[in-house]
Amino acid sequence: MLPHPDQTTTGASFAQFRRRAFVAIEDVRLQTALEGATGRFRQHREAALAALPEADALRDHLKAVRAATLADLAHHLETFERQAIAAGARVHWARDAAEARAIITNLARQNGVKLVTKTKSMATEEIGLNQALAEAGVTPVETDLGEWIIQLAGEPPSHIIAPAVHKTRHQVAQLLSRETGQDLIADDIPRLTAAAREHLRARFLQADMGITGANIGVAETGSIVLVTNEGNAEMTTSLPPIHVVLMGIEKIAPTWDDAAAWLSLLARSATGQPLSVYTTILTGPARADDPEGPRQMHIVLLDNGRSRLLNTLYEEVLQCIRCGACLNVCPVYREAGGHAYGSPYSGPIGAVITPLLFGLEQYAALPHASTLCGACRDACPVRIDLPRLLLSLREEEVARNVLPWPDRAAERSAAFILAHTRLLHATRTLLRPFTNIATTESDFSPLHALTAGRKLPSLASRSFHQMWHNGEV
């Protein structure tokens, strides 16, 4: 049974995140899959950017474009709306997830839609669209292979661009065998993909509506840009008579030159490709003399908390182009996996955007799901300062008393002690015997459950401050 649309984000308290992360870390198959996939993404990204002349200058340019666009977002959105309408599309504005779901399900009801094909879209995951469609009596079918696999498994995506990264080929073979009624073998990859293709092709031909997200909306022509590697976007947008686009309002590029810079970095940062296999540009529905294409095109512009971030210290997060590069370099994501975050958005970008969109109280653990090593900032194609944003969220948690009281008390005590040198020295001297006990390998150590198999280092006999004062360093 599918959860209610509003329950697709399950929250991430400290206890929830730790429990899910612990399960993920203990799962050897998941750890192998995560390390293999993120490692390949990292290698391919580095090679692709190394082969791109003046890649750093292009990253700086795109960041400047994204910042300037957000500074005048209302103007660019109005231009996009005007041009999209001129091209024959209908534009809808959704203040939140409930409005977006209502717009799309009403379109389905009004047109007698029973079957919908979809491309991979984080925005539709964000609003719980599949669940809303099912409640409205409409069958949604994901057509991106990874999204289809997790739909069959009844699971949320675990990576922004590789939603089924946590699944082994044996698990995939079981899911496809159950769905297609064929006895598929995990090692026969060509047969697995052929079975998926045969099954989904029938759905493409039967669908009454196609739903996609949008990688970019180009304001000067009112066009939508989709990037895929499987060709499913072409089938989804051209075969059904109705095409619905759900696009976050921040996905605007004012001009095609800006979109070109965006595209130059998107696939390189995501999968290491110069461009994705398919880059699809759609401007309005099919013309009267077009032999194929949708007769209706609806574009739903989704706010859902984004406009609330404009002109705040969190505005920078709206520059994200959803490439997933920050996930692949994050030491926390690479161990905990995507499901630990309890949100469609995982990894460093998810740890920032999820509390901002869905509530800091509900996702209190995510700003702490980071070592603050800065690898995410270095990998980001638009250099979003994610560590700064995570620290700002932590500060906000303290100011709003979001943290559990034992954590607040411990952190305030630590801050007070660290701010007073003599008190720090006295505390260290007082606690030294206890730290020696705690760091032994003894079964009676209070930290034995956490340190099993390894010995923690004990405190140094003299602090760095004392060594510096004595001229030893």
Side-chain angles (χ1 to χ4, degrees):
M1 180 179 177
L2 291 170
H4 186 275
D6 285 330
Q7 297 174 342
T8 55
T9 52
T10 55
S13 65
F14 285 89
Q16 286 173 314
F17 186 86
R18 286 168 183 154
R19 184 173 63 253
R20 294 173 192 147
F22 181 79
V23 171
I25 291 168
E26 292 295 307
D27 187 335
V28 176
R29 290 196 302 185
L30 175 62
Q31 292 300 308
T32 302
L34 281 174
E35 194 54 37
T38 58
R40 287 190 295 276
F41 283 141
R42 291 196 305 274
Q43 292 172 4
H44 294 164
R45 170 189 168 275
E46 290 168 4
L49 290 180
L52 179 66
E54 300 182 352
D56 283 340
L58 184 59
R59 292 171 68 186
D60 293 336
H61 171 69
L62 182 58
K63 183 173 185 63
V65 168
R66 296 293 291 135
T69 303
L70 293 171
D72 200 10
L73 185 59
H75 166 72
H76 296 304
L77 285 170
E78 288 169 359
T79 302
F80 175 84
E81 179 186 35
R82 187 167 58 251
Q83 295 298 92
I85 292 173
R90 283 195 58 191
V91 178
H92 310 259
W93 296 82
R95 283 173 296 188
D96 54 30
E99 279 197 1
R101 292 194 298 263
I103 290 167
I104 297 172
T105 53
N106 285 337
L107 285 171
R109 288 193 187 95
Q110 292 163 9
N111 290 279
V113 172
K114 298 298 181 187
L115 178 67
V116 163
T117 49
K118 292 177 68 241
T119 61
K120 191 174 81 61
S121 160
M122 297 307 294
T124 63
E125 294 282 352
E126 176 185 325
I127 68 169
L129 182 59
N130 281 4
Q131 294 82 355
L133 288 169
E135 288 183 2
V138 179
T139 301
V141 177
E142 298 288 351
T143 61
D144 173 90
L145 185 56
E147 280 287 337
W148 190 46
I149 289 168
I150 62 168
Q151 184 185 28
L152 295 178
E155 298 175 0
S158 63
H159 191 287
I160 287 177
I161 65 165
V165 68
H166 57 292
K167 290 294 186 190
T168 66
R169 66 180 186 277
H170 296 281
Q171 292 171 317
V172 172
Q174 289 175 355
L175 290 167
L176 297 190
S177 296
R178 187 184 69 190
E179 182 66 15
T180 64
Q182 303 177 46
D183 186 15
L184 299 170
I185 301 171
D187 292 331
D188 191 350
I189 303 299
R191 182 61 197 137
L192 287 175
T193 53
R197 186 178 296 116
E198 291 165 9
H199 193 83
L200 290 177
R201 184 160 293 168
R203 299 296 180 270
F204 285 126
L205 295 172
Q206 297 165 351
D208 309 299
M209 174 185 283
I211 298 178
T212 70
N215 293 97
I216 308 172
V218 183
E220 67 176 344
T221 56
S223 305
I224 295 296
V225 182
L226 300 171
V227 297
T228 64
N229 279 317
E230 300 172 12
N232 57 316
E234 281 64 32
M235 307 282 269
T236 300
T237 59
S238 61
L239 292 178
I242 306 169
H243 176 205
V244 176
V245 182
L246 180 66
M247 183 177 83
I249 59 172
E250 82 281 17
K251 293 289 193 73
I252 286 286
T255 68
W256 277 107
D257 284 343
D258 300 330
W262 191 323
L263 288 170
S264 295
L265 287 170
L266 178 57
R268 285 184 170 90
S269 302
T271 57
Q273 299 165 282
L275 279 176
S276 56
V277 175
Y278 298 91
T279 300
T280 307
I281 300 167
L282 303 161
T283 307
R287 289 12 174 209
D289 56 349
D290 284 346
E292 59 186 19
R295 297 300 146 183
Q296 298 180 41
M297 181 182 189
H298 298 265
I299 302 172
V300 182
L301 296 174
L302 177 67
D303 185 336
N304 204 29
R306 290 163 172 78
S307 62
R308 194 172 58 230
L309 304 178
L310 295 170
N311 300 313
T312 72
L313 53 80
Y314 298 114
E315 180 181 292
E316 189 181 5
V317 76
L318 297 177
Q319 297 174 10
C320 175
I321 63 173
R322 300 288 191 271
C323 66
C326 61
L327 279 67
N328 303 327
V329 298
C330 177
V332 175
Y333 173 85
R334 286 161 54 191
E335 295 296 324
H339 291 167
Y341 293 76
S343 163
Y345 302 111
S346 55
I349 187 64
V352 174
I353 196 68
T354 298
L356 293 173
L357 294 184
F358 306 128
L360 189 55
E361 289 79 3
Q362 190 181 353
Y363 286 91
L366 295 195
H368 303 266
S370 170
T371 63
L372 300 178
C373 65
C376 51
R377 179 182 52 215
D378 296 341
C380 177
V382 287
R383 307 186 193 280
I384 297 174
D385 193 349
L386 290 164
R388 175 186 68 80
L389 297 172
L390 288 165
L391 285 173
S392 296
L393 285 170
R394 293 183 189 183
E395 291 175 6
E396 195 169 329
E397 284 186 332
V398 173
R400 290 165 50 182
N401 287 336
V402 172
L403 292 177
W405 74 263
D407 291 4
R408 293 202 307 272
E411 293 198 10
R412 284 173 178 158
S413 299
F416 182 80
I417 293 171
L418 291 169
H420 297 80
T421 306
R422 291 183 178 178
L423 181 58
L424 174 63
H425 292 166
T427 303
R428 187 179 62 236
T429 302
L430 184 65
L431 294 180
R432 184 180 300 282
F434 300 99
T435 59
N436 289 338
I437 294 173
T439 56
T440 65
E441 292 181 293
S442 168
D443 291 345
F444 302 102
S445 167
L447 297 181
H448 175 71
L450 296 174
T451 62
R454 55 182 175 169
K455 184 178 184 303
L456 294 177
S458 58
L459 290 178
S461 57
R462 296 187 305 282
S463 69
F464 179 81
H465 184 272
Q466 290 171 321
M467 295 171 70
W468 181 272
H469 182 74
N470 296 335
E472 299 175 45
V473 292

